Amino acid sequence: MKRFTTTAIAIGLCFAGFAQDTPDAAIVQKIRKEGLENSKAMDIAFNLTDVAGPRLSNSPGLKRAQNWAIKQLSDWGLKNAHLEAWGTFGKGWQIDKYYAATTLPFYHAIIASPKAWTPGTNGPIRSEVILIKADSVADLAKYKGKLAGKIVMMDRGTALTSGTKADFSRYADSTLAQMAAATPTANAGRQRPAGGPMADRMAQMMKLRQAQAAISAALLEEKVGLILTYARGGQGTFFTSNGASYALDAKPVSPELEVAAEDYLHILRLLRAGKPVEVEADIKTSFYDQDPQGYNVIAEIPGTDKKLKEEVVMIGGHFDSWHAATGATDNAAGSAVMMEAVRILKAIDFKPKRTIRIALWSSEEQGLFGSRGYVSKHYGDPKTMVLTPDQKKISAYYNLDNGTGKIRGIYLQGNEAAAPVFKSWLTPFNDLGATTVTINNTGGTDHQAFDAVGIPGFQFIQDPADYNTRTHHSNMDTYDRLVEDDLKQSSTIVAAFVYQTSQRGAQIPRKELPSPQPARP
Amino acid sequence: MKRFTTTAIAIGLCFAGFAQDTPDAAIVQKIRKEGLENSKAMDIAFNLTDVAGPRLSNSPGLKRAQNWAIKQLSDWGLKNAHLEAWGTFGKGWQIDKYYAATTLPFYHAIIASPKAWTPGTNGPIRSEVILIKADSVADLAKYKGKLAGKIVMMDRGTALTSGTKADFSRYADSTLAQMAAATPTANAGRQRPAGGPMADRMAQMMKLRQAQAAISAALLEEKVGLILTYARGGQGTFFTSNGASYALDAKPVSPELEVAAEDYLHILRLLRAGKPVEVEADIKTSFYDQDPQGYNVIAEIPGTDKKLKEEVVMIGGHFDSWHAATGATDNAAGSAVMMEAVRILKAIDFKPKRTIRIALWSSEEQGLFGSRGYVSKHYGDPKTMVLTPDQKKISAYYNLDNGTGKIRGIYLQGNEAAAPVFKSWLTPFNDLGATTVTINNTGGTDHQAFDAVGIPGFQFIQDPADYNTRTHHSNMDTYDRLVEDDLKQSSTIVAAFVYQTSQRGAQIPRKELPSPQPARP
């Protein structure tokens, strides 16, 4: 019943909004021309990836990229480009050297990466590899006193199969139609039901993690030289996303190497067959703990309307990445698109009514910390739902963080009243493949921080490309995976959405305020 | 007209052959049971790949595998398993250490492999990377005196795109039907037409190669420290197949590293943008020239028929591989299937009328040298078509060298008269997907050495799997890419073909003798 009422209100808003949401064809045309014909998106991405390198939270690579972005945003004429601390993160870390190879039964260099926030080997080491068959600390008894300085691996790993599906894909029209046809009911529950198979699986996972932590502690006590860990993937691609603790007071851990599936399984098959394997390695890593603060990059195009300039439209994407590659699709792509969007608006000399603010978040990969810290400081606390006065002054936050894929539409995040607004705004870009407005939620990235305190926060629908198959947290998330035409299209559409939001008579309609969420998962 | 007559004869042979070519259901059933239910194909492949390692011609890895195969074939009860020299190959070579990383603009370990038969760096080196823009030696003038000890790369490389087709595929029924429907006319010409676009391209390629050789010589004279070369591929997979010269009197060459596309393009983009790049590397390789002879592994199941035991049916595949991985699909797969085929025949205690001989060739990758040397010694010289008496005593040679893909049929190599024989022999395996007999030729492997002297030489049709997309001469040609069910199926079918050929009243029908080919391409 309540839901029915809400829908009626939404339709009312729809008609009310339509006139003010008809895009100004001339400005949209200027944005398109600048965005599609004079794009700097790939240059930006080049600087974030090839030049700055991996951008793990609080690493020198992230700082390089942040400094470059601040200068670049300022050079384009944005105001007040600066680093803003969001809270305490912990230690930075980077790889200074990585080398490993099997030397027995034959020489073969290993594709791998040191696990984030793990120490190095303290110089070159070489040892037989010891296969650890253990599900619990008790199982480790038989190895007692035999592991000091040794290279060890757990008896785990999944046989590979070769891909019978293409790595790269775009959304089919039918999939987009399904998204468009989704109803609020399907997304009604904010809370996962208690118990059930999901809860069982979570409990099981938690148990496994505890066992692994206990085993890791025991291996540290045995002073193992290096742990080899199976890294999911195949054909030279491997995925990494489990760092050790970055806390200032983190307990020491053993040196650990995440090894590409082929190389890991090679050693595992040999050990299981009782054949000796010897590995040599030389790993150096550095920790940075002088400034444990985490920082976001913030910059603005100030509003020009006497009244509305106090209001804000925000865009952003996370700037940090994992460490095994240069985080091109996760999320130099989204960052470059957002930077390019404000560049486009400056290039066409657009004077917004509302202030436009870009945020390049850090520590998204560790739990949306940068955006959550920012929101908590500026807009309110989702745990208590105590809100600041500024919470009312931000019209919307738009996010991009799903890889290189072009924009196909937008997730309403359950905000029905925004549907007709966005449908209208997408119209001039229907020819570029952006058509779909879905009531669906999407998660896992920074718009959630805004949504959690009742600010309209949105993530665009993007073509999957090879995000899940090849790039997301992988060692192959490089500049090569960026599709130039897609970044151009996305930047153009984001620029147009920002333009519309900054000029719109009213703010973007809001959902009901969420309830306080004291126990955030 | 002549072709028409030939077809008529073929049809005649077909009817004549049919009775003697009806498979003995009981023996085929025994072969199927042993091959499908008690397969050792994966164990064999494990020993050839994971245990023996890369099997580059005349390398220690190849020798390890050869020694293992001789022992294994003997253990199964084959007779006279031995190494047989086929002629002079040249130097063996192996990698003793490979390490390289960019150290500027940030640290990143490089996926690569030393180019075959190139020297090491004589200890760790580190230098800026110098981008060489040169199409000829004349273009190198500007670098004179500036390259000593430096790491250099050529200004070449192709931007990557992501796969919109699956890596792994099987032949569609329609493709197989097309192969089956092919007519001899389509394959009539043995010679390529003189002139035309192909000749132009060849001439252009030759010119390019000459320029490259001249540039390489000039770089050697400048005493460059290391050349980085673009290796085709993507997403962690790279392909290698161009070694330096293995000749005993080969001219010296510079150390050279074949670099995976992502890592090469990373450096190239930076250098093109004028950003300094520094690389450190440590490469050690060894050459082996004490015994320049090349060897094949040969073993037999002796024939038992008083008259026919002098005759031979041969099977084989090449045993050598490239060096960046363990040559699992090229060609541990074919070798393992052939070894497994003779194991199956011994396991069911089959006593053939004709002698069965298995050959595991070396130096196929450098030009089918092992098989050509063997054929030249035992059967005749394709340049003169002077044949030995033994040429008449070999009924057929069957080869396998197209990866892990299961057998879908057989290429007749233009031998129409063999079609009804093979169709009949495939019948008991139609249910396993092996159905197709095509008049088509297939090339690039060792059956051609036999075909060249008028001996019926065949290669089976195999599913493409991920041979061309991922494994053929790549760093990802590992055990993981082998499909167990496919190797089982192939071994079973080969065993059945060998059984049939060894028992058949007449030899496999022959084509007309080819003309002498004094200028082998």
Side-chain angles (χ1 to χ4, degrees):
Chain A
M1 191 61 185
K2 188 156 185 302
R3 193 165 302 118
F4 193 78
T5 317
T6 315
T7 312
I9 292 168
I11 290 167
L13 279 171
C14 160
F15 282 94
F18 203 78
Q20 69 174 321
D21 294 322
T22 308
D24 177 326
I27 295 187
V28 167
Q29 191 47 38
K30 270 183 157 177
I31 290 174
R32 271 184 78 125
K33 199 172 158 60
E34 182 64 26
L36 300 179
E37 294 175 24
N38 193 27
S39 177
K40 297 285 178 285
M42 291 301 277
D43 293 342
I44 301 168
F46 167 71
N47 279 287
L48 300 185
T49 58
D50 284 347
V51 181
R55 301 175 306 286
L56 194 71
S57 287
N58 280 32
S59 68
L62 179 63
K63 284 191 205 315
R64 276 193 299 271
Q66 286 172 329
N67 291 337
W68 178 83
I70 287 170
K71 180 170 186 316
Q72 184 59 84
L73 290 165
S74 304
D75 286 353
W76 288 331
L78 276 86
K79 298 299 172 199
N80 194 23
H82 67 287
L83 284 179
E84 182 179 313
W86 55 257
T88 299
F89 173 74
K91 290 185 276 192
W93 177 89
Q94 79 172 10
I95 301 167
D96 297 322
K97 174 159 189 177
Y98 155 67
Y99 164 73
T102 58
T103 48
L104 197 75
F106 54 88
Y107 185 87
H108 174 70
I110 292 174
I111 296 178
S113 171
K115 186 170 174 171
W117 289 289
T118 58
T121 51
N122 202 15
I125 62 167
R126 181 194 279 220
S127 98
E128 63 183 310
V129 181
I130 296 175
L131 185 64
I132 307 272
K133 295 172 185 266
D135 295 321
S136 69
V137 173
D139 296 338
L140 286 178
K142 55 182 173 289
Y143 303 100
K144 192 110 192 123
K146 295 175 186 166
L147 303 181
K150 299 291 190 208
I151 299 174
V152 305
M153 73 195 293
M154 306 302 291
D155 190 8
R156 282 186 205 118
T158 315
L160 301 176
T161 52
S162 284
T164 52
K165 284 188 183 170
D167 284 334
F168 189 99
S169 65
R170 296 195 180 277
Y171 277 129
D173 290 343
S174 54
T175 310
L176 292 170
Q178 261 180 352
M179 287 188 195
T183 57
T185 343
N187 296 285
R190 282 185 66 96
Q191 309 290 339
R192 285 192 183 121
M198 177 67 97
D200 288 354
R201 225 188 309 155
M202 294 281 279
Q204 212 175 359
M205 238 171 66
M206 196 62 92
K207 214 172 141 186
L208 189 68
R209 263 192 212 162
Q210 282 166 350
Q212 277 170 350
I215 289 172
S216 295
L219 292 177
L220 181 75
E221 204 170 309
E222 291 290 316
K223 298 191 167 56
V224 295
L226 178 65
I227 300 172
L228 308 180
T229 309
Y230 178 79
R232 182 176 65 83
Q235 302 158 323
T237 302
F238 67 87
F239 297 87
T240 171
S241 56
N242 272 312
S245 171
Y246 44 80
L248 290 175
D249 61 351
K251 287 183 197 157
V253 294
S254 308
E256 186 169 342
L257 197 58
E258 296 187 300
V259 179
E262 283 81 3
D263 288 332
Y264 191 92
L265 293 173
H266 176 220
I267 300 171
L268 185 62
R269 285 189 300 266
L270 287 165
L271 293 177
R272 281 179 175 170
K275 310 237 175 230
V277 179
E278 189 183 72
V279 162
E280 63 179 19
D282 188 4
I283 300 167
K284 290 189 182 69
T285 64
S286 291
F287 289 86
Y288 301 87
D289 57 7
Q290 290 200 310
D291 181 3
Q293 291 290 301
Y295 296 91
N296 301 313
V297 172
I298 307 286
E300 290 183 348
I301 303 176
T304 55
D305 181 272
K306 207 182 286 183
K307 206 176 132 195
L308 290 181
K309 70 179 181 186
E310 299 304 315
E311 294 189 10
V312 174
V313 45
M314 275 192 83
I315 58 172
H318 74 90
F319 214 50
D320 61 309
S321 77
W322 283 97
H323 59 296
T326 53
T329 71
D330 189 18
N331 181 32
S335 301
V337 163
M338 291 316 193
M339 288 183 71
E340 169 68 359
V342 292
R343 188 202 67 78
I344 292 169
L345 295 174
K346 286 303 295 179
I348 65 165
D349 200 25
F350 172 64
K351 312 276 191 220
K353 290 182 180 168
R354 290 185 180 82
T355 292
I356 295 167
R357 188 180 299 155
I358 180 170
L360 302 168
W361 313 114
S362 71
S363 304
E364 188 267 0
E365 296 295 2
Q366 287 74 42
L368 322 188
F369 293 155
S371 56
R372 283 179 170 161
Y374 184 90
V375 164
S376 161
K377 193 166 144 188
H378 291 271
Y379 302 123
D381 183 345
K383 296 193 197 87
T384 59
M385 283 309 286
V386 174
L387 305 175
T388 69
D390 280 348
Q391 191 267 6
K392 286 199 167 55
K393 294 191 189 151
I394 170 165
S395 177
Y397 170 75
Y398 302 103
N399 194 72
L400 209 68
D401 178 25
N402 281 186
T404 190
K406 69 179 174 189
I407 288 178
R408 306 305 303 273
I410 192 162
Y411 294 97
L412 289 173
Q413 215 70 19
N415 185 340
E416 289 181 273
V421 182
F422 293 157
K423 257 186 204 145
S424 171
W425 292 358
L426 284 175
T427 307
F429 304 104
N430 286 174
D431 65 321
L432 300 179
T435 53
T436 302
V437 173
T438 177
I439 194 68
N440 285 351
N441 289 329
T442 188
T445 186
D446 297 295
H447 65 293
Q448 290 184 299
F450 291 81
D451 190 56
V453 294
I455 297 168
F458 304 100
Q459 156 77 26
F460 292 92
I461 302 168
Q462 297 176 252
D463 269 333
D466 45 6
Y467 196 64
N468 291 317
T469 52
R470 287 285 167 192
T471 71
H472 182 231
H473 301 180
S474 86
N475 66 326
M476 286 296 139
D477 193 5
T478 63
Y479 178 93
D480 312 276
R481 301 281 103 70
L482 300 176
V483 180
E484 183 168 0
D485 285 346
D486 284 19
L487 297 196
K488 288 180 180 174
Q489 186 257 26
S490 296
S491 317
T492 305
I493 293 173
V494 170
F497 266 60
V498 173
Y499 140 67
Q500 299 280 7
T501 311
S502 71
Q503 303 303 85
R504 192 173 192 267
Q507 290 189 359
I508 297 294
R510 297 190 169 203
K511 299 186 288 187
E512 275 182 65
L513 273 184
S515 332
Q517 303 193 325
R520 198 166 61 197
Chain B
M1 191 61 183
K2 190 158 179 301
R3 194 163 302 119
F4 193 76
T5 318
T6 315
T7 312
I9 292 167
I11 291 167
L13 279 168
C14 160
F15 282 95
F18 203 77
Q20 68 174 320
D21 294 321
T22 308
D24 178 327
I27 294 186
V28 167
Q29 192 45 40
K30 269 182 156 176
I31 290 173
R32 273 184 78 124
K33 198 172 160 57
E34 182 65 25
L36 300 179
E37 296 175 21
N38 192 28
S39 177
K40 297 285 179 287
M42 292 300 278
D43 293 342
I44 301 168
F46 167 71
N47 279 286
L48 300 185
T49 57
D50 284 346
V51 182
R55 300 175 307 285
L56 193 72
S57 288
N58 279 33
S59 69
L62 179 62
K63 284 194 206 315
R64 277 193 298 269
Q66 286 173 327
N67 291 337
W68 178 84
I70 287 169
K71 180 167 187 316
Q72 184 59 83
L73 290 164
S74 303
D75 286 353
W76 288 332
L78 277 85
K79 298 299 175 198
N80 194 24
H82 67 287
L83 284 178
E84 184 181 311
W86 56 257
T88 299
F89 172 73
K91 291 185 276 191
W93 176 90
Q94 79 173 11
I95 300 166
D96 296 323
K97 173 160 188 177
Y98 154 67
Y99 164 73
T102 58
T103 48
L104 197 76
F106 53 88
Y107 185 88
H108 174 70
I110 292 174
I111 297 178
S113 171
K115 185 169 173 172
W117 289 290
T118 57
T121 50
N122 203 16
I125 62 168
R126 181 194 278 220
S127 99
E128 61 182 313
V129 181
I130 296 175
L131 185 64
I132 306 273
K133 293 171 185 267
D135 294 322
S136 68
V137 171
D139 297 338
L140 286 178
K142 56 183 175 284
Y143 303 102
K144 191 111 192 123
K146 295 174 186 166
L147 304 181
K150 300 290 191 211
I151 298 174
V152 305
M153 73 195 293
M154 307 303 293
D155 190 8
R156 283 186 206 117
T158 315
L160 301 177
T161 52
S162 283
T164 52
K165 284 189 182 169
D167 285 334
F168 189 99
S169 65
R170 296 195 179 276
Y171 278 128
D173 289 344
S174 55
T175 310
L176 291 170
Q178 261 180 349
M179 287 189 196
T183 56
T185 343
N187 295 283
R190 282 185 69 95
Q191 308 291 337
R192 283 188 186 127
M198 177 65 99
D200 288 355
R201 222 188 310 155
M202 292 283 280
Q204 213 175 358
M205 237 171 70
M206 195 62 90
K207 215 172 138 185
L208 189 70
R209 264 192 213 162
Q210 281 166 352
Q212 278 172 350
I215 289 172
S216 295
L219 291 176
L220 181 74
E221 206 171 304
E222 290 289 316
K223 296 190 167 55
V224 297
L226 177 65
I227 300 172
L228 307 181
T229 310
Y230 178 78
R232 182 176 63 83
Q235 303 158 322
T237 302
F238 68 88
F239 296 87
T240 173
S241 57
N242 272 313
S245 172
Y246 44 81
L248 289 177
D249 60 352
K251 287 182 198 160
V253 292
S254 307
E256 187 169 342
L257 197 58
E258 296 188 301
V259 179
E262 284 80 6
D263 288 331
Y264 191 91
L265 294 172
H266 177 221
I267 300 171
L268 185 62
R269 284 188 300 266
L270 288 166
L271 294 177
R272 281 180 175 169
K275 310 239 176 227
V277 179
E278 189 182 73
V279 162
E280 63 179 19
D282 188 4
I283 301 168
K284 290 189 183 70
T285 64
S286 291
F287 289 86
Y288 301 87
D289 57 6
Q290 290 201 308
D291 180 2
Q293 291 290 301
Y295 296 91
N296 302 313
V297 171
I298 307 287
E300 291 184 345
I301 304 176
T304 55
D305 180 271
K306 206 182 286 180
K307 209 176 129 192
L308 291 181
K309 71 179 178 185
E310 299 305 315
E311 294 187 11
V312 174
V313 43
M314 275 191 84
I315 60 172
H318 75 88
F319 214 48
D320 63 308
S321 78
W322 282 98
H323 59 296
T326 52
T329 70
D330 190 18
N331 183 32
S335 301
V337 164
M338 291 314 193
M339 288 182 71
E340 169 68 359
V342 293
R343 189 202 65 80
I344 292 169
L345 295 174
K346 287 303 296 181
I348 65 166
D349 202 22
F350 171 64
K351 311 277 190 219
K353 289 181 180 169
R354 291 185 180 82
T355 291
I356 295 166
R357 187 181 299 155
I358 181 171
L360 303 168
W361 312 114
S362 72
S363 303
E364 189 268 357
E365 296 295 0
Q366 286 75 39
L368 322 188
F369 294 156
S371 56
R372 282 179 170 160
Y374 183 90
V375 164
S376 160
K377 192 166 148 189
H378 290 271
Y379 301 123
D381 183 348
K383 294 196 197 87
T384 58
M385 285 307 287
V386 175
L387 304 174
T388 68
D390 280 350
Q391 190 268 5
K392 287 199 168 57
K393 293 188 191 153
I394 171 166
S395 177
Y397 169 74
Y398 301 103
N399 193 72
L400 210 68
D401 179 25
N402 282 186
T404 191
K406 70 178 173 186
I407 289 178
R408 306 305 302 271
I410 193 163
Y411 294 98
L412 288 173
Q413 215 69 20
N415 185 341
E416 289 180 271
V421 182
F422 291 157
K423 260 187 202 143
S424 170
W425 291 359
L426 284 175
T427 307
F429 303 104
N430 288 173
D431 66 320
L432 300 179
T435 53
T436 303
V437 174
T438 177
I439 193 70
N440 285 351
N441 289 330
T442 188
T445 187
D446 297 295
H447 65 293
Q448 290 184 299
F450 291 81
D451 189 56
V453 296
I455 296 167
F458 305 99
Q459 156 76 30
F460 291 92
I461 302 167
Q462 296 176 253
D463 270 332
D466 45 6
Y467 195 63
N468 291 316
T469 53
R470 286 285 166 192
T471 69
H472 182 231
H473 300 182
S474 87
N475 67 326
M476 286 295 139
D477 193 5
T478 63
Y479 179 91
D480 311 277
R481 302 279 104 71
L482 300 176
V483 180
E484 182 167 2
D485 284 346
D486 284 19
L487 298 195
K488 287 180 180 173
Q489 185 258 28
S490 296
S491 317
T492 305
I493 293 174
V494 171
F497 266 61
V498 172
Y499 139 67
Q500 297 282 6
T501 312
S502 72
Q503 302 304 85
R504 191 173 192 266
Q507 289 187 0
I508 297 295
R510 296 191 169 202
K511 298 187 287 189
E512 275 181 68
L513 273 184
S515 332
Q517 304 194 324
R520 199 164 61 197

